[in-house]
Amino acid sequence: MKIFNELLLKFEKPDWSSNPEFCVIDTILESRPDIILMLKSDIIGSERASSFGRQDTPSVEQIVRAAIFKEMRGLDYRELEYAQNDSRICANFIKLDCREPYSFQMFQKYISRINPDTLHRVLVEINKIAITEGLEDVKSLSQDSTVVKTNIHYPTNNSLVWDCVKTSTRLLEQLKEEIDTLDFIDYTKSAKKTFYEINVTRGEAKRIPLFQKQLILFTKVINQTSNAIKKKSASIIAEAIQEELSKLLVLMKQVYDVTWRKEIKGEKVPNDDKIFSIYEQHTDIIVKGQREVLFGHKINLAAGKSNLVLDCQILRGNPSDKSLFNPTLNTVIENYGIIPRDSTTDGGYASLANLEHAQETGIANIVFNKVVGSMQNIVSSSNMETRLRKWRSAMEAIISNIKRGFNIFTCNWKGWIHFKAKVLWSILAYNFRVMTGLILARLRSAPKVC
């Protein structure tokens, strides 16, 4: 009840009372400095603080607070820089102490270093605070999965070939500025024309000659890219561009192979052999039931009765929901040291093996929204089964609140590590918002002292 009591004093100040979410977060961070220390090694790494020069680097605490403020308000880094001047609560929360605002480059440099594994540990610690304060008891557990898309265009073999051609040409133009002896031919005009022709052509027989023409041109681009990589230069910039071209060349060859097999030979190419974006190479293809195909990553969430997200798993590939039930259940028990009394999920998680595992773990009421075959839910009463079935639908609302409230339908952060970090920052921001609501409800119901 420590946080609850400290909030009563802070709410007397107008800035905090009108911004209860940041009041709650500020109180948590001040009472638990170890949470800041958990993120310290990620932020500064092996760097040592210097006593020389301008002392204008934000502290670890300021970086963490800025990252939280950014996610809670849905800001980008430039807007975060502006908010330091424009918003009094931002300046107070980040603890600027009348100093000049930090640049967006400074915050991006340090916030982007925070590892998703560390963020997951922070999520667990925040939930443990909620348990200590009596906001959550981990007696009931609900699971559901969703998909967060990566920021890519819809991938087709035609578009991937075009992406390779224009990207390699752009890098070759940059390389030529560093190496005068480099010669290459710009094929983008011809490739773009064929790209549009393929897009508007219907019928496999008519498209094959166009793809053959495009792949001949693509071969020339691959060859001149390979030759450019072998050029020697004393320029560090040139070496960096050549390194980038080397990575791109591997992708170009993969795109060529898949396009030839699918569009020319008519093979059915396995998903494991495909690439869905040369920019976001970690992207997976996700198919859930009979719904549309999505490109991103599957996210498995576990929530308690308070609607706090207790666990978040960001997955590679397209694993079935059945395979996610036991690992998530085990993780929740391991992280919080509490065996839930109730477990409820939708029918996608239902299997006899999952039912038996949950029973062996010690869960009393196990409900799948739809059971398969002769399998039966294990419940203490039919009334309990009905209540758990109804409560399971709350997971849909939780997922909707996270995606809508923190604009995470599509992740704009680049790379696999940053993708996971962005999702976990959104989950943390959501949990702070839920905790605030629970604490405010308790404050309203508390007896007033005259």
Side-chain angles (χ1 to χ4, degrees):
M1 303 298 287
K2 180 181 177 182
I3 293 176
F4 179 76
N5 294 331
E6 290 180 0
L7 281 172
L8 291 175
L9 299 175
K10 280 193 176 181
F11 278 153
E12 295 177 2
K13 300 179 181 178
D15 281 351
W16 291 122
S17 61
S18 58
N19 295 274
E21 290 177 348
F22 294 109
C23 183
V24 170
I25 300 167
D26 181 74
T27 305
I28 290 173
L29 294 179
E30 287 187 348
S31 63
R32 290 289 303 275
D34 57 299
I35 292 176
I36 304 293
L37 292 176
M38 290 172 66
L39 299 164
K40 183 178 180 179
S41 60
D42 287 351
I43 293 171
I44 63 174
S46 58
E47 293 180 9
R48 294 184 178 181
S50 174
S51 58
F52 299 97
R54 290 179 60 191
Q55 302 300 309
D56 57 354
T57 301
S59 66
V60 172
E61 182 179 5
Q62 286 176 317
I63 292 166
V64 174
R65 286 171 173 268
I68 293 171
F69 187 90
K70 173 181 174 295
E71 292 303 318
M72 295 299 295
R73 287 289 171 86
L75 308 177
D76 60 30
Y77 285 104
R78 292 178 187 273
E79 290 169 337
L80 176 60
E81 179 181 349
Y82 177 76
Q84 295 172 81
N85 266 331
D86 184 61
S87 171
R88 188 165 59 186
I89 188 64
C90 177
N92 289 341
F93 183 74
I94 297 178
K95 295 187 174 181
L96 279 182
D97 299 327
C98 299
R99 297 184 65 180
E100 287 294 316
Y102 297 108
S103 68
F104 71 91
Q105 296 100 327
M106 182 74 73
F107 279 132
Q108 185 173 18
K109 173 185 175 181
Y110 289 108
I111 292 173
S112 63
R113 292 180 177 181
I114 298 175
N115 192 285
D117 292 335
T118 310
L119 287 175
H120 193 275
R121 293 199 298 272
V122 171
L123 175 67
V124 172
E125 288 303 314
I126 296 298
N127 288 330
K128 286 181 178 179
I129 293 172
I131 294 169
T132 304
E133 294 292 316
L135 304 176
E136 172 61 52
D137 57 13
V138 200
K139 291 299 182 182
S140 299
L141 189 69
S142 179
Q143 293 187 46
D144 203 356
S145 64
T146 187
V147 176
V148 175
K149 295 185 287 186
T150 48
N151 190 22
I152 64 171
H153 61 70
Y154 191 90
T156 63
N157 291 325
N158 185 29
S159 65
L160 287 170
V161 171
W162 167 237
D163 286 343
C164 290
V165 171
K166 66 181 180 182
T167 303
S168 64
T169 304
R170 173 177 56 81
L171 292 172
L172 288 171
E173 288 174 349
Q174 295 175 6
L175 187 60
K176 187 170 177 58
E177 294 178 3
E178 303 296 326
I179 304 177
D180 295 333
T181 58
L182 175 68
D183 290 320
F184 71 96
I185 300 174
D186 187 344
Y187 292 104
T188 52
K189 187 174 181 179
S190 299
K192 188 174 185 180
K193 181 180 178 181
T194 310
F195 164 71
Y196 282 117
E197 287 177 354
I198 293 172
N199 273 350
V200 299
T201 302
R202 297 292 176 265
E204 186 176 338
K206 295 180 181 179
R207 286 161 59 93
I208 289 177
L210 293 172
F211 267 109
Q212 289 174 332
K213 177 183 175 182
Q214 189 77 316
L215 289 177
I216 290 171
L217 185 148
F218 191 27
T219 302
K220 296 177 181 179
V221 175
I222 291 173
N223 289 337
Q224 69 180 12
T225 301
S226 179
N227 292 332
I229 293 169
K230 299 172 185 176
K231 284 278 185 181
K232 293 184 179 180
S233 173
S235 168
I236 297 176
I237 298 175
E239 290 178 1
I241 297 171
Q242 286 175 318
E243 179 66 25
E244 197 170 348
L245 280 169
S246 297
K247 295 177 182 177
L248 178 62
L249 184 61
V250 176
L251 300 176
M252 292 168 74
K253 291 178 178 179
Q254 184 179 356
V255 170
Y256 180 94
D257 178 66
V258 171
T259 305
W260 175 264
R261 290 164 61 187
K262 176 66 173 70
E263 305 298 342
I264 307 301
K265 297 179 69 176
E267 289 184 18
K268 186 175 182 181
V269 182
N271 287 335
D272 291 342
D273 294 347
K274 294 178 182 177
I275 181 172
F276 302 105
S277 172
I278 65 170
Y279 309 113
E280 298 294 327
Q281 300 157 37
H282 58 90
T283 301
D284 292 319
I285 182 170
I286 311 293
V287 182
K288 294 194 74 177
Q290 302 299 316
R291 285 170 279 180
E292 64 175 329
V293 176
L294 299 174
F295 298 92
H297 295 288
K298 179 178 277 192
I299 313 297
N300 195 60
L301 301 174
K305 202 74 172 180
S306 63
N307 291 335
L308 287 169
V309 174
L310 301 175
D311 188 63
C312 173
Q313 299 296 326
I314 304 154
L315 308 156
R316 295 301 301 265
N318 187 19
S320 67
D321 287 349
K322 291 179 183 179
S323 66
L324 305 177
F325 180 83
N326 291 343
T328 300
L329 179 61
N330 295 339
T331 300
V332 169
I333 294 173
E334 180 182 353
N335 286 338
Y336 303 105
I338 300 172
I339 298 174
R341 182 195 63 193
D342 313 316
S343 172
T344 179
T345 65
D346 65 22
Y349 293 82
S351 74
L352 185 59
N354 289 344
L355 185 72
E356 291 174 349
H357 177 79
Q359 194 173 14
E360 290 170 1
T361 303
I363 298 176
N365 301 298
I366 309 161
V367 173
F368 300 104
N369 200 42
K370 293 180 181 178
V371 291
V372 293
S374 59
M375 191 178 76
Q376 297 293 325
N377 290 325
I378 298 175
V379 288
S380 57
S381 66
S382 58
N383 180 47
M384 176 62 74
E385 182 175 15
T386 301
R387 286 162 56 192
L388 289 175
R389 282 180 185 272
K390 290 181 178 180
W391 177 58
R392 187 214 64 82
S393 61
M395 278 300 296
E396 306 291 343
I398 291 172
I399 290 171
S400 178
N401 281 334
I402 294 170
K403 286 188 167 184
R404 294 176 187 277
F406 302 99
N407 194 23
I408 198 67
F409 288 99
T410 300
C411 178
N412 294 322
W413 289 22
K414 295 182 178 181
W416 169 237
I417 299 297
H418 291 152
F419 180 96
K420 294 196 292 182
K422 172 60 177 174
V423 171
L424 285 166
W425 275 121
S426 299
I427 299 295
L428 274 168
Y430 165 80
N431 273 12
F432 282 131
R433 187 161 290 174
V434 172
M435 286 180 68
T436 302
L438 295 171
I439 290 171
L440 289 178
R442 180 184 290 178
L443 287 172
R444 285 192 291 267
S445 62
K448 295 182 180 180
V449 179
C450 298

